[in-house]
Amino acid sequence: PAHRLDRLTAGVLVFTVDPAHRAAYQDLFAARRVAKSYLAVAPAPEGTPHVRERSSRIVKTRGVLQAAEVDGPPDAHTRIMLLGVREPDPGGSATPLGLYRLEPSTGRTHQLRVHMNALGTPILGDDLYPRVRTITPGDFSHPLQLLAETIGFTDPVSGAERRFRTRRSLEAWPSGKARAQDPGHPPSAPAPNSCML
């Protein structure tokens, strides 16, 4: 692998076939020269802004499950866009649900989960935020509703522009509706050297 995702996050992940090239791709991530977007389903209380940003300092202490925002110069930044809202399922929460696109410009541990929780909109299925929940190992009956949607970069070996988009969708949001509502990311506009995974 050239980078990491949280264990519970689905979607696009970059691997290298030739070990000799791995460092070049890892350097792209370290230098923040990779554009990434994620989709998440989370509460969308009335008045939730369509676009917001969160910058903070995040610390993950060894042996502690949750990462935390602390005082100090920000080292984590996420742009958050509300793509759509739907009423909750009958018998569930009374708060409407939103489909969000998350665009991190940094890559701190649990960054997206911490930022969404700090804004009062924790991601559905999150077993760590806002509180730690004990889940039986291998129980994926309520998966984290976070999906690594796209990844794009200039290939450090060939110089070609690369863009990859997952074909997966989030269980808690009807497939395809996000892209239909979001003209900025049309599903039928692949870039040169792009791939659907």
Side-chain angles (χ1 to χ4, degrees):
H3 67 121
R4 297 177 300 166
L5 290 175
D6 287 348
R7 184 177 59 87
L8 299 178
T9 303
V12 179
L13 186 62
V14 176
F15 289 84
T16 60
V17 176
D18 185 343
H21 295 309
R22 184 170 183 237
Y25 290 93
Q26 286 181 314
D27 289 347
L28 286 177
F29 289 90
R32 300 180 185 167
R33 295 195 314 262
V34 177
K36 299 177 282 185
S37 73
Y38 295 74
L39 293 176
V41 178
E46 187 174 339
T48 299
H50 284 278
V51 178
R52 54 189 167 161
E53 302 200 19
R54 181 78 178 183
S55 291
S56 66
R57 185 168 194 80
I58 296 177
V59 172
K60 176 73 170 71
T61 304
R62 184 183 294 267
V64 177
L65 295 175
Q66 292 180 321
E69 291 186 314
V70 298
D71 291 336
D75 63 358
H77 178 266
T78 307
R79 186 167 192 258
I80 302 161
M81 291 150 285
L82 180 60
L83 302 179
V85 177
R86 67 176 171 82
E87 293 306 312
D89 296 328
S93 166
T95 304
L97 293 176
L99 180 68
Y100 295 86
R101 176 166 286 119
L102 312 176
E103 295 178 346
S105 56
T106 54
R108 305 296 295 171
T109 300
H110 296 179
Q111 175 177 324
L112 302 177
R113 298 163 72 180
V114 168
H115 280 174
M116 290 295 284
N117 182 60
L119 292 168
T121 53
I123 299 170
L124 262 59
D126 199 330
D127 62 348
L128 294 180
Y129 305 94
R131 63 188 168 281
V132 176
R133 293 184 298 123
T134 302
I135 305 293
T136 304
D139 178 3
F140 297 104
S141 56
H142 300 287
L144 178 68
Q145 296 300 292
L146 179 62
L147 179 68
E149 178 194 27
T150 65
I151 197 161
F153 54 87
T154 301
D155 193 301
V157 176
S158 69
E161 291 300 317
R162 305 282 188 197
R163 183 168 170 85
F164 302 94
R165 178 187 296 272
T166 186
R167 288 185 185 157
R168 294 189 172 272
S169 60
L170 293 167
E171 180 181 283
W173 197 268
S175 180
K177 285 198 173 183
R179 294 179 185 149
Q181 294 176 2
D182 182 20
H185 290 76
S188 59
N193 297 307
S194 67
C195 180
M196 294 288 286
L197 302 175

